[in-house]
């Protein structure tokens, strides 16, 4: 009957979301990449080295590394943490078998579980949509008192708490005990705000990592012990960028319609070195766009995993393939695989996975690597868990004055040429800390790329990338080579595609 069929479908859907199936899929994807790599013509060590050097030499706008910086980088690299090539296959398989033996025939002790939201201590992927959610929990992490926390306090009290979509703001304090805050004037202000039961303070609380047995660790911002009140969790770095309330609320609307993936604001692209990978990425990305367009037109039903866009294998050991961290092209929302923290949304249920024992090796790697790259790692992990690419939203919405009048909609412009000449504030284009010290960019970038190749090598595949926030909007353009982009780079309030169809 109808009820029985619906019940069976729900059981099948839930089975695909539970951690045992999710991690089995991660392992299978890595095994598939392994077999793909084995079929490729094997290159010699000299050819692989020459291939990687060629990629580095051809990279646009990358400064040459100074000899003294290169020497320091090589010396430091000897002490860096490492992840084994295809290491996910062995470690995840062994961990899941161990957990199965430890928990067989009994429920987990809730106090020891890394999951705070299910009765059986098992991680489950979030639902595809969460349209019932009306607000988000904003999480900001800090570890130092002084000028930086003064600026943060001002942002929390005068900005974040007052935003219409904010249900709560959580400060994850990584700087020791609560006493460290008590000894600082701004810290005292934060504690007073934390102790308030009504008004602005009723939406603010402090999570002290040390009280939960957590040492200073960037991954603490993702710990399930934080127990966000809402399913939607929004992250900010303690120095921002904070983006406008309107832009973030529109990002939240996109997340409500895509709560099974990460939804970010400031994106990063992973570039592939080989023509094989580039061709496969183009093919898989076109499939992503087709599926998104079908969903928007209500023509799309659930499909099997074989019909979903597939990850692209990265074969470095035998084929010399190399992935590049593209930190300069930050405005094209298509083909992005990494979202930086500020403005990034994830579902609360992902926190359980990010602290799951099966991913312990990556958490340790993040802690030990000199750049502590939790942003790259989290984006790659989430795409591996879901088998999907992240989504991105317009972190800036055009508000332009002309002749003393506010021009806030695309339709108010006279012609297309005028729209194409719209300028975007430089502050929305880059992370300010990265660009503050030009002399260190090239060293930092090489460290980030080292980490990227290490984490990608652990799984040995990368998602095809995001579909872009202007898909379905007038701003969507495509050039003669089939490259998608948005023009202008960010959206007008009346050109947001997910607002045009209420039920999408």
């Amino acid at each position: 009957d109808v009820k029985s069929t619906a019940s069976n479908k729900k059981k099948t859907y839930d089975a695909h979301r539970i951690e045992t199936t999710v991690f089995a899929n991660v392992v299978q994807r890595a095994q598939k990449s392994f077999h793909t790599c084995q079929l490729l013509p094997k290159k010699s060590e000299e050819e692989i080295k020459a291939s990687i050097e060629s990629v580095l030499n051809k990279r646009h706008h990358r400064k040459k590394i100074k000899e003294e910086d290169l020497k320091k980088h090589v010396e430091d690299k000897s002490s860096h943490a490492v992840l084994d090539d295809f290491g996910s296959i062995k470690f995840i398989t062994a961990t899941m078998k161990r957990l199965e033996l430890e928990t067989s025939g009994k429920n987990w002790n809730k106090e020891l579980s890394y999951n705070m939201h299910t009765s059986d201590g098992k991680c489950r992927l979030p639902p595809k949509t969460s349209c019932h959610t009306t607000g988000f929990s904003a999480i900001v992490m800090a570890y130092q008192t002084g000028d930086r926390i003064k600026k943060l306090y001002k942002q929390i009290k005068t900005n974040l708490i007052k935003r219409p979509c904010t249900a709560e703001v959580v400060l994850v304090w990584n700087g020791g005990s609560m006493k460290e805050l008590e000894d600082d004037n701004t810290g005292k202000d934060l504690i007073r705000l934390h102790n308030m039961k009504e008004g602005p303070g009723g939406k603010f609380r402090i999570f002290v990592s040390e009280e939960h047995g957590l040492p200073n660790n960037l991954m603490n911002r993702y710990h399930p012990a934080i127990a966000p009140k809402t399913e939607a969790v929004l992250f900010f770095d303690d120095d921002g960028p904070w983006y406008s309330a309107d832009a973030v609320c529109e990002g939240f609307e996109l997340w409500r319609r895509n709560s099974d993936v990460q939804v970010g604001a400031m994106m990063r692209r992973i570039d592939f070195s080989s023509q094989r990978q580039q061709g496969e990425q183009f093919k898989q990305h076109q499939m992503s766009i087709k599926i998104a367009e079908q969903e928007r037109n209500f023509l799309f039903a659930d499909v099997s995993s074989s019909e979903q866009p597939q990850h692209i294998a990265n074969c470095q050991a035998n084929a010399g393939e190399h992935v590049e961290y593209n930190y300069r092209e930050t405005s094209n929302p298509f083909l992005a695989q990494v979202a930086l923290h500020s403005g990034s949304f994830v579902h609360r249920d992902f926190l359980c996975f990010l602290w799951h024992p099966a991913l312990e090796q990556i958490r340790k790697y993040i802690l030990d690597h000199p750049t502590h790259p939790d942003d790259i790692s989290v984006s790659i992990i989430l795409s591996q868990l879901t088998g999907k690419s992240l989504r991105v939203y317009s972190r800036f919405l055009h508000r332009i004055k002309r002749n003393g009048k506010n021009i806030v909609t695309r339709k108010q412009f006279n012609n297309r040429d005028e729209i194409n000449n719209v300028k975007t504030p430089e502050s929305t284009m880059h992370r300010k800390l990265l660009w503050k010290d030009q002399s260190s960019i090239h060293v930092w970038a090489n460290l980030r790329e080292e980490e990227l190749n290490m984490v990608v090598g652990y799984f040995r595949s990368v998602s095809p990338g995001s579909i872009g926030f202007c898909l379905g909007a007038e701003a969507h353009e495509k050039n003669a080579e089939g490259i998608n982009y948005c023009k202008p780079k960010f959206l007008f309030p009346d050109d947001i595609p997910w607002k045009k169809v209420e039920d999408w």
Side-chain angles (χ1 to χ4, degrees), residues 331-434:
S331 58
N332 189 345
F334 289 89
L335 299 174
Q337 295 99 339
V338 174
L340 303 189
H341 296 302
S342 277
S344 175
F345 288 93
V346 302
H347 194 285
R348 179 176 61 192
D349 290 351
F350 278 128
L351 306 188
C352 171
F353 282 100
L354 291 172
W355 276 86
H356 193 284
L359 296 174
E360 180 183 351
Q361 286 187 327
I362 293 187
R363 289 196 301 276
K364 186 177 186 306
Y365 178 77
I366 293 169
L367 195 61
D368 294 342
H369 194 272
T371 64
H372 307 299
D374 56 329
D375 48 3
I376 289 177
S377 301
V378 165
S379 289
I380 291 176
I381 287 170
L382 296 183
S383 72
Q384 288 290 335
L385 295 173
T386 63
K388 295 183 177 183
S389 300
L390 54 76
R391 296 294 298 266
V392 294
Y393 64 92
S394 185
R395 60 182 180 268
F396 174 78
L397 296 176
H398 289 293
R399 297 282 197 278
I400 301 166
K401 286 187 176 181
R402 187 178 63 197
N403 299 327
K405 297 180 180 180
N406 287 321
I407 309 298
V408 297
T409 68
R410 188 183 181 97
K411 292 178 182 179
Q412 287 176 274
F413 275 82
N414 293 332
N415 56 61
R416 186 171 184 79
D417 288 337
E418 193 171 356
I419 290 175
N420 292 341
N421 291 327
V422 167
K423 301 297 182 184
T424 303
E426 187 64 26
S427 61
T428 68
M429 302 303 288
H430 301 292
R431 279 286 283 120
K432 58 185 177 182
L433 282 181
L434 166 62

Side-chain angles (χ1 to χ4, degrees), residues 111-310:
E111 294 179 359
L112 299 179
S113 175
Y114 42 86
N115 189 317
M116 304 294 170
H117 298 286
T118 61
S119 59
D120 60 357
K122 304 272 187 193
C123 298
R124 285 174 175 78
L125 289 179
K128 183 176 180 180
T129 62
S130 298
C131 295
H132 60 280
T133 307
T134 58
F136 51 72
S137 297
I139 294 181
V140 189
M141 187 169 62
Y143 69 98
Q144 278 183 325
T145 55
D147 289 341
R148 195 148 166 167
I149 205 167
K150 285 181 182 178
K151 295 177 181 178
L152 174 59
Y153 171 69
K154 181 179 179 181
Q155 283 291 340
I156 289 174
K157 187 176 181 180
T158 65
N159 185 1
L160 290 185
I161 286 178
K162 295 183 178 181
R163 291 184 173 187
C165 299
T166 303
E168 67 167 341
V169 177
V170 182
L171 172 64
V172 176
W173 176 243
N174 261 8
S177 67
M178 187 73 88
K179 188 178 185 305
E180 303 296 327
L181 289 176
E182 293 171 350
D183 292 340
D184 179 79
N185 289 334
T186 304
K188 291 176 183 177
D189 292 334
L190 286 165
I191 292 173
R192 277 193 290 269
L193 197 62
H194 168 82
N195 290 332
M196 290 173 62
K197 302 302 181 184
E198 298 179 355
K203 296 170 69 175
F204 175 76
R205 60 188 173 98
I206 301 173
F207 175 89
V208 182
S209 298
E210 187 178 275
E211 293 178 0
H212 296 266
L214 301 172
N216 187 1
N217 184 344
L218 291 179
M219 287 297 290
N220 288 349
R221 74 180 102 200
Y222 296 102
H223 202 284
I226 297 172
K229 292 180 180 179
T230 63
E231 293 177 47
V233 185
L234 170 67
F235 295 92
F236 282 108
D237 285 321
D238 62 348
D239 64 334
W242 307 100
Y243 308 118
S244 70
D246 288 344
V248 172
C249 283
E250 293 302 343
F252 174 54
E253 288 300 318
L254 179 62
W255 175 88
R256 291 173 70 218
R257 294 157 173 78
N258 299 272
S259 59
D260 60 339
V261 296
Q262 184 183 26
V263 175
M266 180 75 81
M267 71 292 292
R268 291 287 187 268
R269 201 175 72 201
I270 297 174
D271 291 338
F272 295 104
S273 64
S274 75
Q275 291 183 350
R276 179 197 72 82
Q277 292 172 299
Q278 292 165 11
E280 188 63 23
Q281 182 186 31
F282 181 83
K283 174 185 172 183
Q284 300 300 330
H285 191 253
Q286 289 299 109
M287 187 185 297
S288 297
I289 290 177
K290 182 180 178 181
I291 289 174
E293 290 174 338
Q294 289 175 332
E295 286 180 324
R296 180 166 168 73
N297 293 322
F298 306 107
L299 300 174
F300 181 71
D302 287 339
V303 296
S304 66
S305 59
S306 62
E307 296 173 298
Q308 290 282 5
Q310 301 295 301

